[in-house]
Amino acid sequence: EIVLTQSPGTLSLSPGERATLSCRAGQSVTSNSLAWYQQKPGQAPRLLIYGASSRATGVPDRFSGSGSGTDFTLTISSLEPEDFALYYCQHYGSSPRYTFGQGTKLEIK
Amino acid sequence: EVQLVESGGGLVQPGGSLRLSCAASGFTVSSNYMSWVRQAPGKGLEWVSVIYSGGSTDYADSVKGRFTISRDNSKNTLYLQMNSLRTDDTAVYYCAREKVSDYWLDPWGQGTLVTVSS
């Protein structure tokens, strides 16, 4: 099982600032197996990024994903008030089919 | 519009059973892979089970032998039969679609809360 470690656990920033969220895999993974989700309180996760760097339909272009091998990054170029939420990275594998990082909470400073 | 709506959650005693439903609209359940993912209160996401378009299934080790995933093609609905429930099964349960050629889950339903407690 691939373990995903997200950092930091909590990120405190102000609107307009740039956010950089990290996801590290316990061993090298293919880029097409890495995705990012956003979750707001009381809501289901929403797909943001798939294939490490492709934005899902309707996702603003201030969100971008990058990385390869074991290190992946979600960047939000200029934070909007609605971006403060929980973010999870996800790996697709064989068994279990999906594993998730423990999450990064992006909070307003 | 592609949509998933879960139902069937509730309070159940340890050792009890519950069946969750996930009604799909805007796409055909049997043409996709469908998963259940759960989230314990205040915790992260845990994948639970998948049913493939061909009908085969897979489970997380934590639920293997206790949970059964199935679908009703005529109702375009996904199910999760949960038996021998334990307190650590308490969570919000989400259903989600995985297209056959994809490696991610989209969309997700709104979730249904299962509480296992005496």
Side-chain angles (χ1 to χ4, degrees), chain A residues 63-75:
Chain A
F63 290 89
S64 64
S66 64
S68 64
T70 59
D71 292 306
F72 297 87
T73 300
L74 175 69
T75 301

Side-chain angles (χ1 to χ4, degrees), chain A residues 78 99 106:
Chain A
S78 179
T99 54
L106 179 55

Side-chain angles (χ1 to χ4, degrees), chain B residues 17-95:
Chain B
S17 298
L18 209 56
R19 189 179 82 155
L20 307 183
S21 300
C22 169
S25 57
F27 73 99
T28 302
V29 164
S30 61
S31 298
N32 292 268
Y33 301 166
M34 297 296 297
S35 276
W36 287 96
V37 177
R38 68 184 180 183
Q39 186 172 35
K43 302 298 184 182
L45 301 166
E46 179 190 17
W47 174 80
V48 171
S49 181
V50 63
I51 184 166
Y52 299 102
S53 53
S56 59
T57 60
D58 196 12
Y59 300 90
D61 288 344
S62 58
V63 306
K64 202 170 289 183
R66 300 187 299 122
F67 290 11
T68 302
I69 191 171
S70 64
R71 67 188 183 213
D72 184 329
N73 295 344
S74 67
K75 295 182 178 179
N76 208 34
T77 298
L78 176 74
Y79 301 100
L80 186 68
Q81 177 67 43
M82 304 185 295
N83 298 331
S84 303
L85 282 161
R86 310 186 303 220
T87 55
D88 61 356
D89 293 318
T90 294
V92 174
Y93 285 74
Y94 298 100
C95 61

Side-chain angles (χ1 to χ4, degrees), chain A residues 32-33 35 37 39 43-45 47 50-51 88 90 92 94-98 100 102, chain B residues 33 35 37 39 43-47 50 52 58 94 98 103-106 108-110:
Chain A
N32 65 0
S33 67
Y37 299 86
Q39 187 178 34
Q43 296 185 18
L47 177 69
Y50 62 91
Y88 292 96
Q90 165 244 292
Y92 164 91
S94 56
S95 184
R97 187 164 187 83
Y98 289 101
F100 297 88
Q102 82 280 15
Chain B
Y33 301 166
S35 276
V37 177
Q39 186 172 35
K43 302 298 184 182
L45 301 166
E46 179 190 17
W47 174 80
V50 63
Y52 299 102
D58 196 12
Y94 298 100
E98 174 191 335
Y103 304 112
W104 52 88
L105 297 167
D106 181 54
W108 298 53
Q110 87 288 351

Side-chain angles (χ1 to χ4, degrees), chain A residues 21-45:
Chain A
L21 287 67
S22 173
C23 176
R24 177 162 290 179
Q27 60 191 79
S28 184
V29 300
T30 58
S31 293
N32 65 0
S33 67
L34 201 288
W36 290 91
Y37 299 86
Q38 177 192 65
Q39 187 178 34
K40 296 181 179 179
Q43 296 185 18

